[in-house]
Amino acid sequence: VAADTVVEFDTGRGSRGSAGVDTAAKPLSYAARGTLHGMDVRRLGKALDIRALDDDRYDGRVNGSFDLRASGTSLDELTLSASGTLTDSAMWGTHVPEMTFKADIAASTLTVAAKGAFDQLNPAVFTDRDSLVGNVNGTVDATLHLDDLQAPVTPATIEVDGRVTLGPSLVGSVQIAAADVEGRYAGEIADITRLHVDGPEGGGRGPGEQHQEAHQPLAPEVRDQQQRQDVGQHHRQHHG
């Protein structure tokens, strides 16, 4: 941004940096970089009139560093690209110790790529299903996409593509010692291309076994066969 106005900011609560605005550009262009401490994403969404962010699941705190470039003052014309690192942040029933991110907004759509660790994730918050209350911990390397920032965020509007590795976790009444999942979720349908799950007593697929690679999606009939084989193997191991 060729800024004609540059402002240094310091909230006195740990958030500080610099911002530049090109008032001659149509639409208005601006950029900023700095650090955040305790930012409330829901409050930011209200200020920018982004309805998808007006959700109590976005209440929380965001800490970290950022570098942002954008143009436009309404969601319809907003184009934004931001990157940075989150530290000790919490929202959506999840705590993030450290995670890098890159976020892009264009034509009222949002794409976020994230890589890092998370803990205390409550699956019930994401799914709106009380039966899945739990505590999930692990790492993620994935991309999330929302096709319409004017619409509420629901399981049907979320698209996720990537890999999640879990440590000791609890989902509903199911205990997980470790898991490795790779695939894509869209339209409330998960297309799993790699799956390894260990229960509290082990017995999951061993590390030496072959896994289907992500760039070779399994056909539905192959996935069904593999699932039947895994269930049969699990039954033989635990029931002789």
Side-chain angles (χ1 to χ4, degrees):
V1 176
D4 56 24
T5 302
V6 177
V7 178
E8 301 288 332
F9 64 89
D10 188 339
T11 66
R13 298 181 179 181
S15 297
R16 55 184 176 271
S18 61
V21 181
D22 183 357
T23 57
K26 302 298 181 183
L28 185 74
S29 297
Y30 42 95
R33 65 173 57 184
T35 59
L36 296 172
H37 180 75
M39 186 186 76
D40 187 318
V41 174
R42 185 181 186 186
R43 182 178 300 175
L44 176 65
K46 288 182 177 180
L48 297 176
D49 194 26
I50 300 177
R51 297 178 187 175
L53 299 182
D54 188 11
D55 186 318
D56 58 10
R57 291 173 292 189
Y58 286 101
D59 286 331
R61 67 180 188 277
V62 173
N63 307 304
S65 60
F66 71 95
D67 190 340
L68 175 151
R69 291 176 178 269
S71 64
T73 56
S74 68
L75 181 58
D76 288 338
E77 66 180 12
L78 179 63
T79 299
L80 178 148
S81 181
S83 60
T85 302
L86 301 179
T87 56
D88 189 23
S89 299
M91 64 179 174
W92 271 74
T94 306
H95 175 249
V96 175
E98 184 172 356
M99 184 175 294
T100 60
F101 72 91
K102 185 179 186 306
D104 294 285
I105 295 177
S108 296
T109 68
L110 169 68
T111 301
V112 179
K115 184 176 183 178
F118 63 88
D119 54 44
Q120 304 172 33
L121 183 153
N122 184 356
V125 175
F126 284 82
T127 62
D128 270 337
R129 294 174 59 184
D130 292 340
S131 61
L132 296 181
V133 169
N135 189 328
V136 178
N137 311 285
T139 61
V140 63
D141 184 356
T143 299
L144 176 145
H145 180 77
L146 297 176
D147 199 47
D148 185 2
L149 286 174
Q150 298 280 16
V153 178
T154 69
T157 64
I158 296 173
E159 297 180 18
V160 182
D161 190 347
R163 182 174 182 175
V164 176
T165 301
L166 301 182
S169 301
L170 177 68
V171 180
S173 60
V174 178
Q175 292 186 2
I176 299 172
D180 187 7
V181 183
E182 189 168 357
R184 183 173 185 270
Y185 174 89
E188 299 186 85
I189 297 174
D191 184 11
I192 305 300
T193 56
R194 177 186 179 102
L195 176 63
H196 178 116
V197 180
D198 286 334
E201 298 178 359
R205 184 180 297 156
E209 294 193 30
Q210 295 295 318
H211 297 279
Q212 189 75 16
E213 295 299 327
H215 61 274
Q216 297 176 323
L218 294 175
E221 62 272 15
V222 177
R223 287 199 302 272
D224 291 342
Q225 180 181 3
Q226 186 178 66
Q227 290 168 355
R228 289 194 297 270
Q229 290 173 342
D230 289 348
V231 171
Q233 180 185 17
H234 179 81
H235 179 81
R236 290 193 298 272
Q237 289 174 334
H238 290 275
H239 299 282

